[in-house]
Amino acid sequence: MSQAGTLILIMSIAVLAPLLAYGISRWLPVPLVIFEIVLGILVGPDVLGWAGDGQVVDTLSDLGLTMLIFLAGYEIEFDKVRGDTLKRALWAWVISLGVGLGVASALSGWSKGVYIGTALTSTALGTILPVLRDAGDLRSRFGSVMMAFGAVGEFGPVIAMALLLSGRSPGRSTVVLAVFALLTAGAVWWAMRPRPPWFSRVIARTLHSSGQFAVRLVVLLLMVMLGISQALGLDTLLGAFAAGVITRLVLHGAAPESAGPVLEKVEAMGFGFLVPVFFVVTGIEFDLDALLSGGRALLLLPVFLLLFVLVRGLPVYALAPHDLLPPDRRALTLFASTALPLVVAITTIGVEDKVLKTEEAAALVGAGMLSVLLFPLAGLRLRGERAAAERVGAEAVAKGDEAW
């Protein structure tokens, strides 16, 4: 099939997926991403063979992953995740990295263990945020804690990728990261500076016109950070995450009244177009034959799924804030163990570097897909009625603040 035909098919799946999710939600709240990936597998070369590949499709898929990470960075509310919660999240991830590298190296040797171990420490915050948002749980205490642990689980593996998977010496990688950190700190300093009065006026006046100044500025900030990370030889996901953080500081600092509408427009561009392309293409490119043809690969899938919980989840459970009740701690463990986008990115690098076999990558990605299907559902079920009560309380507080 031509690239144009493949794009039509991808967007048809993107339209069909929310209809299926909505129809099934009355019985089971299956995350939207599952339908996008499964339908992608269905039309992919290993099943129906309707979808092809090409540079345009791959580029849009890469942009979708970039937008997913950018929106995850934007959602971080540092006033809610700093302090003790952030320290706990950092220590939980550091422990996960040590355990992940140790377990994966013991199972498959150091060369493969670096890729597999790093993948096991990731948290799919960009995938979890829509689930929490749709459940009305994003602004609760549980949501803020999940934001902290998820942000570190998203950002930490990207740093580990830059240090361990770049092919550079650790010393040189550290220097490059330090340069990126300084440039990012400079961008943050610029973002936090007071903007002139005309800045917010231009945002407000062009918000509903063809000018769209704020949206264009957001895209510019994203491209600049992607360019910096690429120029330094770092993974562009690092730049995307930093761009999301910087964009939030700029908009909420200079034009807080317009920040919400601007985010809605960016999310429409992301979740309405680019992000679904990434997830559908993930399904299309999933090597189902490699997973099903070899017994070892199929056996590895449940092993990797269990390791997501043991390597990433248990440290989160142990270091979760004490004010979370046991059901919420277990739900946090499951949400934090959910992994997919960075697993796809890391396994792709591993296969391209001829370190990971395609069946091993398929087993790891397959485990990530199962984690997206099973863990958020189980986590939402554990939250249960308490989540509804917290949402009512949060809405009451928000209405009180608005009235004040």
Side-chain angles (χ1 to χ4, degrees):
M1 182 180 287
S2 65
Q3 290 193 61
T6 298
L7 283 174
I8 293 173
L9 186 59
I10 289 172
M11 293 315 301
S12 298
I13 291 174
V15 171
L16 178 61
L19 295 177
L20 293 175
Y22 175 77
I24 293 178
S25 62
R26 66 190 70 180
W27 299 289
L28 190 66
V30 180
L32 175 63
V33 60
I34 292 301
F35 293 99
E36 294 167 345
I37 294 174
V38 170
L39 290 173
I41 294 175
L42 181 64
V43 302
D46 291 342
V47 184
L48 296 177
W50 293 349
D53 57 6
Q55 185 175 357
V56 174
V57 173
D58 291 340
T59 300
L60 289 175
S61 176
D62 291 340
L63 286 174
L65 176 58
T66 298
M67 182 60 71
L68 190 67
I69 302 302
F70 168 84
L71 290 170
Y74 185 95
E75 288 284 0
I76 305 301
E77 300 181 28
F78 285 98
D79 58 330
K80 293 185 178 180
V81 304
R82 61 188 179 185
D84 181 66
T85 301
L86 184 57
K87 291 178 182 177
R88 289 173 176 273
L90 287 168
W91 275 112
W93 183 80
V94 170
I95 294 171
S96 293
L97 181 63
V99 173
L101 292 177
V103 170
S105 298
L107 292 174
S108 56
W110 174 253
S111 58
K112 291 183 180 181
V114 172
Y115 292 87
I116 296 173
T118 303
L120 292 175
T121 68
S122 66
T123 294
L125 181 62
T127 306
I128 292 170
L129 287 179
V131 176
L132 293 177
R133 185 186 294 109
D134 293 344
D137 216 7
L138 192 58
R139 304 303 175 190
S140 65
R141 166 61 177 162
F142 178 85
S144 64
V145 173
M146 182 62 240
M147 192 84 71
F149 281 84
V152 176
E154 191 95 72
F155 196 64
V158 176
I159 298 293
M161 289 167 64
L163 287 172
L164 301 175
L165 308 181
S166 63
R168 293 185 292 260
S169 65
R172 187 179 177 189
S173 295
T174 302
V175 171
V176 171
L177 276 175
V179 172
F180 179 83
L182 287 174
L183 292 173
T184 302
V188 169
W189 174 80
W190 170 82
M192 296 182 69
R193 291 189 64 191
R195 305 260 84 79
W198 61 263
F199 188 83
S200 59
R201 289 200 299 269
V202 172
I203 290 179
R205 289 178 181 177
T206 61
L207 193 58
H208 302 290
S209 72
S210 60
Q212 297 293 325
F213 169 74
V215 176
R216 298 183 187 194
L217 178 63
V218 169
V219 176
L220 174 61
L221 290 173
L222 175 58
M223 293 301 109
V224 168
M225 295 308 298
L226 292 180
I228 291 174
S229 59
Q230 189 173 41
L232 293 174
L234 297 170
D235 195 287
T236 53
L237 299 184
L238 188 62
F241 194 92
V245 174
I246 293 167
T247 299
R248 182 182 184 87
L249 293 174
V250 171
L251 292 180
H252 283 261
E257 68 285 348
S258 300
V262 172
L263 176 61
E264 290 176 359
K265 291 175 179 288
V266 176
E267 285 183 332
M269 180 171 54
F271 293 123
F273 175 40
L274 294 173
V275 174
V277 171
F278 164 69
F279 284 120
V280 175
V281 172
T282 296
I284 292 172
E285 295 181 346
F286 181 70
D287 198 341
L288 188 63
D289 279 348
L291 180 64
L292 299 179
S293 61
R296 180 174 180 270
L298 201 55
L299 289 174
L300 282 176
L301 191 149
V303 172
F304 286 143
L305 186 64
L306 178 61
L307 285 177
F308 280 133
V309 178
L310 297 178
V311 171
R312 180 68 183 127
L314 286 185
V316 169
Y317 182 86
L319 292 173
H322 297 304
D323 62 317
L324 291 186
L325 297 175
D328 286 344
R329 295 170 75 94
R330 291 193 289 270
L332 182 69
T333 299
L334 291 171
F335 276 114
S337 303
T338 304
L340 184 61
L342 288 182
V343 173
V344 174
I346 292 170
T347 53
T348 300
I349 295 171
V351 172
E352 290 176 351
D353 291 345
K354 301 187 184 327
V355 177
L356 291 180
K357 297 179 180 178
T358 54
E359 59 267 24
E360 294 168 333
L364 196 50
V365 173
M369 289 193 292
L370 282 179
S371 76
V372 172
L373 172 62
L374 300 175
F375 295 164
L377 288 177
L380 290 175
R381 196 171 293 274
L382 283 171
R383 290 279 291 148
E385 296 180 358
R386 184 167 46 264
E390 288 182 6
R391 287 195 295 272
V392 172
E395 290 173 0
V397 171
K399 289 180 180 178
D401 291 343
E402 291 175 2
W404 175 258

